[in-house]
Amino acid sequence: MASPAETYSTEKVHESANFLKSKMGSVKPKIGVICGSGLSGLGELVENKIIIKYTDIPSFVESTVPGHKGQMLFGQINGKDVVCMQGRFHPYEGYPAWVVGFPLRVMKLLGVDTVLATNAAGGINPDFKVGDFMVIKDHISFPGLSGFNPLRGHNDESFGPRFPAMNDSYDKKLRTLFKQCASELGLDNIMREGVYCNVAGPSYETIAELRLLLKLGGDAVGMSTAQEVVTARHCGLKVVACSLITNECILEYDSNKTVCHEEVLETSKQRAQKMESLVSKFIGKL
Ligand SMILES: O=P(O)(O)O[C@@H]1C[C@H](O)[C@@H](CO)O1
Ligand SMILES: Nc1nc2[nH]cnc2c(=O)[nH]1
């Protein structure tokens, strides 16, 4: 098993990238895909797959969450060379923020210029329904605001500046293209756009916390993506991200409903095919 490096080092990110370059054959990925909880099926879209387990990649850590396979795929989706992370790292697994963002720098070194991140999220916006897709317009990262930022510590200038802007994190043209693809597939009725609240997890939210997120302008809540996006934007990657609303957030004290990871995985399973069609169409148009 690869063990997490103590601190970020430029040598380690180059070592990981060089290892992957030696394995990826003639694939020249410009597109990186990250599969969210229960969305590993997106990896099934990859043709002529080369599969590399995270545990075999230098400086990569283990993916410990059910629904995250823990392997990197190289191949083609809809005719385009891609690298696909079948599973991601989350801060609640005990990993420092820079470890969570590390694969994005590796992708940059592999030649990726656009990242498509997916995730499973709870719907805070009362108009959202379980099974909706939400293209992410912006995020509020509570871990990031409180110091758990993947760029904390030594700044590696070879990737980006000390103080990168984040106001344009979720690329407007790519969001438009993503929504257009959804329209072409007849998915307008389930396609939303909104603000993703990133929390640390692993416990789900209390009612008071969810009411706070709603007041702050959040539409969905989850435990990932923001650290990846900040790392990606720092090194100049374009980002598009989509949440699958896997569960309703409980905002009322008299509700007898609750949330669990099994429900999250079940909704992902039910929507997998639609998400796969959408991702495939979108990648074909990049
Ligand atoms: O990796 P994502 O953000 O898709 O996974 C979400 C957040 C937690 O890991 C898990 C909670 O059910 O699903
Ligand atoms: N924090 C959080 N993460 C999720 N991932 C999927 N659903 C949820 C949720 O309701 N809350």
Side-chain angles (χ1 to χ4, degrees), residues 40-181:
S40 280
L42 293 174
E44 303 312 317
L45 295 170
V46 180
E47 289 171 326
N48 309 312
K49 266 194 223 40
I50 297 168
I51 304 175
I52 303 162
K53 297 237 167 281
Y54 292 161
T55 45
D56 291 335
I57 307 173
S59 296
F60 266 53
V61 291
E62 236 182 319
S63 204
T64 65
V65 186
H68 290 261
K69 280 197 172 168
Q71 55 192 26
M72 205 123 180
L73 312 177
F74 291 92
Q76 294 77 40
I77 295 182
N78 209 352
K80 301 282 168 66
D81 280 7
V82 299
V83 50
C84 174
M85 287 184 68
Q86 254 186 336
R88 58 154 56 92
F89 310 127
H90 304 83
Y92 66 75
E93 293 174 81
Y95 299 132
W98 67 265
V99 169
V100 175
F102 189 86
L104 280 298
R105 286 188 175 173
V106 173
M107 284 191 195
K108 171 78 180 182
L109 294 180
L110 297 181
V112 167
D113 60 29
T114 302
V115 173
L116 166 59
T118 61
N119 63 48
I124 307 172
N125 184 323
D127 293 335
F128 287 7
K129 293 193 180 57
V130 171
D132 283 352
F133 294 151
M134 181 189 87
V135 65
I136 302 181
K137 181 169 72 178
D138 202 351
H139 73 229
I140 303 172
S141 174
F142 291 89
L145 289 173
S146 51
F148 198 84
N149 186 306
L151 306 179
R152 184 185 159 129
H154 165 72
N155 184 53
D156 185 342
E157 291 285 332
S158 68
F159 283 98
R162 170 78 291 184
F163 301 111
M166 288 292 146
N167 58 300
D168 57 353
S169 289
Y170 298 87
D171 191 275
K172 204 170 175 185
K173 279 195 187 134
L174 292 179
R175 279 192 274 137
T176 304
L177 180 63
F178 199 80
K179 288 182 286 183
Q180 185 191 317
C181 292

Side-chain angles (χ1 to χ4, degrees), residues 120-123 199 201 203-205 210 221-223 246-249 259 264:
V199 297
S203 48
Y204 293 107
E205 297 67 43
L210 289 169
V221 57
M223 305 175 196
T246 51
N247 56 282
E248 187 189 328
C249 286
V259 54
V264 168

Side-chain angles (χ1 to χ4, degrees), residues 32-43:
V33 179
I34 304 175
C35 305
S37 275
L39 295 168
S40 280
L42 293 174

